[in-house]
Amino acid sequence: MPVGPTTRRRQLGADLRRLRERTELTLEEAGARVGISKATLSRYETKEGTVKWPTVDALCREYGATDDERRSLVDLAKDAKIQGWWRSLADPVPESMNLMLTLEDEVVREDHYACMYVPGLLQTRAYAEAVHRASEMRCSEAEIAHMVDIRMKRQELLAREEPPHIWAVVDEAVIRRSVGGREAMRQQLEQLIALTDSPHITVQVLPFASGAHAAAVGSFVVLGGLSPELDVVYVDIIGGGLFMEKPEELERYKTVSYVVRRRSLL
């Protein structure tokens, strides 16, 4: 799995925080030693925005990092520029989609729970068109077509030499809800069955008979990074989505994901 720019930036932030905590320095103390503010160092550690590699080099020296650690983090700082296939599209990507596309381009796994629709990565074009047409009522046909094109482009990650593992738990309502008409739904269910032939894709159905369960509040996906501290949860909301990465949030959603898997059918 190639390491993309956002993964490098997030890894850099996590490693800088680990090194600082190892030396038991506060943000204010560490920042003062290299001539930056507490707020700036906090931004470096929380993986937001750009970084200056000389500052990273200075921080590593203050933290007593080994030469190998310092060189590795300086290289991460030099390469941490956000770019992706969606940047070259003729029409711009909605701002709400930028982070999702950036993260998804670099995941090693995705754990989905879907209570309404088939997860986007597994949708047919006809199904995706019906979903967007229903949820984006104010969009023109051209705008809907653009968003569907992006969704289809996203699916190319499943054909990579080393694709992420997709584990999708779908509520029984998902496969019973007719989206786009009988023919579109037939094609979608056939595609779901065909996709499960891949060793990188697992699809389970959470039956109505399972009763009440912990994931009943809505759909979500755990985007898995190269290491646990890079994991992010994405939760669907009207008009966009929420991203969560606090340890307690991640633990809660990972636990729910495990529970619904145990109660679902293959």
Side-chain angles (χ1 to χ4, degrees), residues 160-218:
R160 290 176 178 172
E161 185 175 344
E162 295 182 52
H165 187 268
I166 310 299
W167 193 312
V169 175
V170 300
D171 192 273
E172 185 176 341
V174 172
I175 61 173
R176 290 188 178 275
R177 177 174 290 104
S178 181
V179 175
R182 182 185 295 272
E183 180 60 21
M185 199 62 200
R186 181 186 64 79
Q187 293 174 1
Q188 179 61 74
L189 294 177
E190 287 178 348
Q191 174 154 303
L192 273 183
I193 294 170
L195 286 170
T196 57
D197 288 338
S198 168
H200 302 288
I201 299 175
T202 302
V203 178
Q204 292 181 280
V205 176
L206 182 63
F208 289 149
S210 66
H213 58 85
V217 292

Side-chain angles (χ1 to χ4, degrees), residues 72-226:
S72 177
L73 294 194
V74 167
D75 286 343
L76 284 175
K78 290 179 177 179
D79 293 339
K81 297 177 181 178
I82 298 177
Q83 295 178 339
W85 56 262
W86 55 96
R87 301 289 181 179
S88 63
L89 294 175
D91 295 319
V93 171
E95 190 60 35
S96 60
M97 295 182 64
N98 273 324
L99 182 54
M100 182 62 173
L101 293 174
T102 300
L103 294 172
E104 190 171 65
D105 200 43
E106 301 167 11
V107 296
V108 297
R109 72 180 191 284
E110 290 190 17
D111 299 332
H112 291 258
Y113 169 68
C115 66
M116 181 65 68
Y117 299 125
V118 171
L121 285 177
L122 310 181
Q123 292 178 3
T124 64
R125 176 174 286 275
Y127 186 98
E129 287 175 350
V131 169
H132 278 293
R133 193 167 285 113
S135 59
E136 307 292 343
M137 295 177 289
R138 297 183 179 180
C139 290
S140 67
E141 285 299 310
E143 290 170 323
I144 290 173
H146 177 53
M147 288 186 284
V148 172
D149 285 343
I150 293 172
R151 179 157 296 183
M152 296 300 103
K153 181 69 175 178
R154 282 173 55 200
Q155 295 179 4
E156 291 182 8
L157 68 83
L158 300 178
R160 290 176 178 172
E161 185 175 344
E162 295 182 52
H165 187 268
I166 310 299
W167 193 312
V169 175
V170 300
D171 192 273
E172 185 176 341
V174 172
I175 61 173
R176 290 188 178 275
R177 177 174 290 104
S178 181
V179 175
R182 182 185 295 272
E183 180 60 21
M185 199 62 200
R186 181 186 64 79
Q187 293 174 1
Q188 179 61 74
L189 294 177
E190 287 178 348
Q191 174 154 303
L192 273 183
I193 294 170
L195 286 170
T196 57
D197 288 338
S198 168
H200 302 288
I201 299 175
T202 302
V203 178
Q204 292 181 280
V205 176
L206 182 63
F208 289 149
S210 66
H213 58 85
V217 292
S219 300
F220 66 88
V221 54
V222 180
L223 300 155
L226 291 169

Side-chain angles (χ1 to χ4, degrees), residues 32-54:
R33 291 192 179 191
V34 297
I36 62 174
S37 68
K38 173 183 176 181
T40 298
L41 182 53
S42 176
R43 177 172 56 79
Y44 273 43
E45 292 187 5
T46 52
K47 315 140 192 172
E48 298 176 357
T50 58
V51 294
K52 297 179 180 179
W53 73 260

